[in-house]
Amino acid sequence: KAGVTQTPRYLIKTRGQQVTLSCSPISGHRSVSWYQQTPGQGLQFLFEYFSETQRNKGNFPGRFSGRQFSNSRSEMNVSTLELGDSALYLCASTPGTAQETQYFGPGTRLLVL
Amino acid sequence: KNQVEQSPQSLIILEGKNCTLQCNYTVSPFSNLRWYKQDTGRGPVSLTIMTFSENTKSNGRYTATLDADTKQSSLHITASQLSDSASYICVAPDNFGNEKLTFGTGTRLTIIP
């Protein structure tokens, strides 16, 4: 079974631009969660989607948004990029039931200049 | 505010030696406690998931313990190998039954030959 895939793997943007990241979960998994990882803050939860609906949301500004498609693939969008948005963005998938093991993708490393 | 604190921040040990990593959490209500291993530049990989009724759980050379009364968990690594060099992250859900997770900042473990 293929693992979680994320595209692109690396991205360089400038302040004010917007960016869209993509995540394809493991086949059959219906829940996709997004996380931001920075050296100073560690891993922080952004949001979780299940069956095309946002089920949980972390404490990030509205510039961070996401969506999930009927095939469970998910996208995350960040508008009006700031320097502080430079981070590793990880997505993780589970079949959808709580307390299951999460499977993480390799991440997208975003650098904002 | 739910928090997960880990110690030590970093650790260096000789190959073949054992080590123990600590995690203190203040998450309520408690659902489960997870340990992840994250290699540099890669997504985290789940090692163990423990519910409040479990005191010990093993995954090969990794053994996690949980004391729900003191809200402490530890991860013991036996006969360390060079491939154990990674960050080890302790994780707890914010709310019972969903995927909104609170992450510790991790322990950076380095195994030297």
Side-chain angles (χ1 to χ4, degrees):
Chain A
K1 217 178 217 184
V4 178
T5 58
Q6 292 186 245
T7 57
R9 291 294 312 279
Y10 304 92
L11 206 50
I12 300 175
K13 292 285 188 179
T14 57
R15 279 181 298 174
Q17 288 187 307
Q18 72 152 13
V19 66
T20 299
L21 313 181
S22 180
C23 172
S24 292
I26 291 173
S27 177
H29 285 194
R30 296 167 65 190
S31 168
V32 174
S33 298
W34 287 90
Y35 301 89
Q36 181 195 66
Q37 186 174 33
T38 58
Q41 297 293 323
L43 271 156
Q44 293 183 286
F45 172 77
L46 280 156
F47 30 65
E48 183 227 355
Y49 285 87
F50 178 81
S51 292
E52 301 180 66
T53 300
Q54 189 180 87
R55 192 161 65 171
N56 289 294
K57 188 177 186 302
N59 300 318
F60 278 80
R63 300 186 296 107
F64 292 82
S65 63
R67 59 177 176 169
Q68 187 179 35
F69 302 94
S70 58
N71 62 358
S72 293
R73 188 177 70 84
S74 177
E75 287 183 347
M76 189 191 96
N77 185 274
V78 187
S79 62
T80 318
L81 284 166
E82 301 176 359
L83 295 179
D85 297 333
S86 294
L88 180 66
Y89 290 88
L90 292 158
C91 80
S93 75
T94 70
T97 306
Q99 301 185 32
E100 291 174 306
T101 298
Q102 281 193 317
Y103 295 88
F104 281 84
T108 293
R109 185 163 295 282
L110 171 66
L111 177 61
V112 182
L113 301 176
Chain B
K1 182 183 175 182
N2 293 328
Q3 288 186 314
V4 176
E5 296 180 348
Q6 293 187 244
S7 62
Q9 200 169 24
S10 62
L11 184 62
I12 301 174
I13 64 171
L14 289 171
E15 184 181 10
K17 297 295 186 182
N18 304 334
C19 66
T20 300
L21 315 180
Q22 301 291 344
C23 172
N24 295 335
Y25 62 92
T26 55
V27 174
S28 182
F30 178 74
S31 169
N32 60 79
L33 194 289
R34 312 176 183 193
W35 283 94
Y36 286 83
K37 176 187 178 187
Q38 185 175 23
D39 293 314
T40 301
R42 308 188 72 168
V45 174
S46 177
L47 293 175
T48 64
I49 299 178
M50 302 177 67
T51 64
F52 65 88
S53 61
E54 297 176 292
N55 299 120
T56 303
K57 200 160 194 177
S58 292
N59 178 357
R61 295 179 296 102
Y62 301 100
T63 299
T65 64
L66 177 65
D67 186 332
D69 291 331
T70 61
K71 297 187 177 181
Q72 294 179 326
S73 176
S74 64
L75 181 70
H76 186 74
I77 303 174
T78 305
S80 61
Q81 301 176 357
L82 296 178
S83 59
D84 293 330
S85 293
S87 287
Y88 291 84
I89 305 171
C90 178
V91 186
D94 269 13
N95 299 298
F96 186 81
N98 65 30
E99 297 302 315
K100 188 177 179 182
L101 305 177
T102 297
F103 292 81
T105 52
T107 293
R108 178 70 206 175
L109 176 64
T110 303
I111 311 297
I112 56 177

